[in-house]
Amino acid sequence: MSRIAYVNGRYLPRGDAMVGIEDRGFQFADGVYEVCEVRGGKLVDERRHMARLQRSLDLLRMDRPMPASSLAIVMRETIRRNRVTNGVVYVQVTRGEMRRDFPFPPAGTPPTVVVTARSNDPAKIDAQAEAGIAVITVPDERWRHVDIKSVALLPNVLAKQQAREQGAREAWLVDAQGRVTEGASSTAWIVTRDGVLVTRPLGGDILPGITRSVVMDLIAEQGLRFEERAFTVEEAYAAREAFVTSASQSVMPVVEIDGRPIGNRAPGMTATALRRDYHGTAELT
Ligand code: PMP
């Protein structure tokens, strides 16, 4: 274990080393990391690891936390302070700390950087190498469990950021067949020209929205026409109404998709009525 950790400019004893609860690494997995081997007190393949770190930062459009030369010093100082001769050094960089909101924090928000180092036992690893190890195979499901409300929200963050940059509030995610799965942080709905409410069925590809389930109760109570099926982007463009549901905004009318007006670019009757009635059906405890 690292006894001393570098956190945002300071070397701290492990127990005092902390990042805030609003850190985007914690909230959204909105961060990157690198691990470099330490052997005989030297960094192994540092250049390549640092190049990959830079690549990861660039792809996520994150600021470099400090110049490469400074990071090289911090890594060495962390290794030294932990008296690591053989082991590993971790560098973790997140998009910093900010009141929880999906899009990127404002430019200039300092990234969070944590560097830790720990020793390992080369003799033990060598012994393992002599025996060899076993592996198993598992389906590669990284990260497909969107039905779990996990903090692995990086794709959602990127989609929301793009929405914001294009003057929209939400991004609807589209599957390989051109069908809308759900919003980056909401359930997607349309009302067809024939007045049928449509939302995607539950399954591995959407979060089972609580608001969705309550709206379904409302639909049943009011005897509205409803189809639980996937709908395409084209169908959404042509819909009479569209809306999203989520705990933070209950029923929110959508008036524009990809720059195209939905209905007459005003909240639809159905969405407005559902929004009005929502809290009458929802449980308040
Ligand atoms: N899908 C995703 C990906 C979400 O993040 C949310 C919001 N939590 C929803 C759907 C809507 O779920 P709920 O109605 O439970 O808030």
Side-chain angles (χ1 to χ4, degrees):
M1 272 297 138
S2 198
R3 284 170 298 178
I4 301 289
Y6 171 91
V7 184
N8 296 329
R10 298 199 293 162
Y11 294 93
L12 296 165
R14 204 182 128 75
D16 299 333
M18 290 177 200
V19 296
I21 59 167
E22 294 278 31
D23 192 89
R24 291 180 66 89
F26 176 61
Q27 293 285 357
F28 295 116
D30 191 7
V32 299
Y33 74 110
E34 270 302 328
V35 191
C36 214
E37 185 187 4
V38 181
R39 198 176 169 89
K42 300 261 190 234
L43 287 164
V44 181
D45 300 327
E46 178 187 11
R47 187 179 56 77
R48 294 187 191 198
H49 281 283
M50 292 303 105
R52 187 172 63 182
L53 178 65
Q54 191 58 51
R55 177 179 184 277
S56 302
L57 289 167
D58 288 346
L59 286 174
L60 296 182
R61 295 163 57 198
M62 288 173 55
D63 291 338
R64 179 203 281 263
M66 63 182 85
S69 54
S70 307
L71 186 56
I73 292 169
V74 169
M75 288 165 73
R76 285 171 178 75
E77 185 62 15
T78 306
I79 290 165
R80 191 185 71 76
R81 290 189 188 224
N82 287 288
R83 298 196 180 84
V84 175
T85 306
N86 297 299
V88 283
V89 58
Y90 288 90
V91 177
Q92 279 158 309
V93 185
T94 78
R95 211 182 300 273
E97 215 185 323
M98 182 57 51
R99 182 173 175 275
R100 191 181 186 283
D101 194 12
F102 278 82
F104 296 171
T109 301
T112 297
V113 53
V114 172
V115 182
T116 53
R118 65 192 203 198
S119 299
N120 60 24
D121 179 357
K124 204 165 138 191
I125 300 171
D126 286 345
Q128 257 172 11
E130 284 195 16
I133 59 159
V135 302
I136 62 163
T137 62
V138 295
D140 189 344
E141 292 185 329
R142 298 171 298 164
W143 170 247
R144 311 225 46 156
H145 291 290
V146 295
D147 53 323
I148 301 169
K149 197 162 173 60
S150 93
V151 297
L153 291 170
L154 183 51
N156 311 50
V157 166
L158 298 176
K160 281 276 223 214
Q161 175 65 20
Q162 193 179 332
R164 174 164 289 189
E165 287 176 3
Q166 294 178 16
R169 296 280 301 190
E170 177 60 302
W172 278 9
L173 310 173
V174 179
D175 68 16
Q177 287 76 45
R179 299 172 314 184
V180 174
T181 50
E182 61 180 334
S185 66
S186 61
T187 303
W189 297 74
I190 56 168
V191 183
T192 67
R193 299 228 166 230
D194 305 331
V196 182
L197 284 129
V198 183
T199 198
R200 194 173 176 108
L202 297 186
D205 41 18
I206 64 168
L207 185 77
I210 303 302
T211 317
R212 173 188 184 281
S213 67
V214 175
V215 167
M216 281 172 57
D217 290 351
L218 259 176
I219 288 170
E221 273 170 32
Q222 301 187 356
L224 302 174
R225 284 196 292 152
F226 173 58
E227 286 173 14
E228 202 174 9
R229 62 168 175 83
F231 58 86
T232 63
V233 174
E234 295 302 325
E235 217 183 333
Y237 290 158
R240 179 199 287 176
E241 292 184 39
F243 62 94
V244 294
T245 57
S246 74
S248 57
Q249 51 194 351
S250 66
V251 178
M252 180 59 66
V254 169
V255 297
E256 190 183 293
I257 302 174
D258 293 335
R260 302 166 197 234
I262 302 304
N264 55 0
R265 209 184 235 117
M269 266 172 37
T270 316
T272 304
L274 289 170
R275 182 174 179 81
R276 183 194 61 220
D277 298 341
Y278 185 80
H279 293 102
T281 291
E283 281 171 24
L284 300 174
T285 51

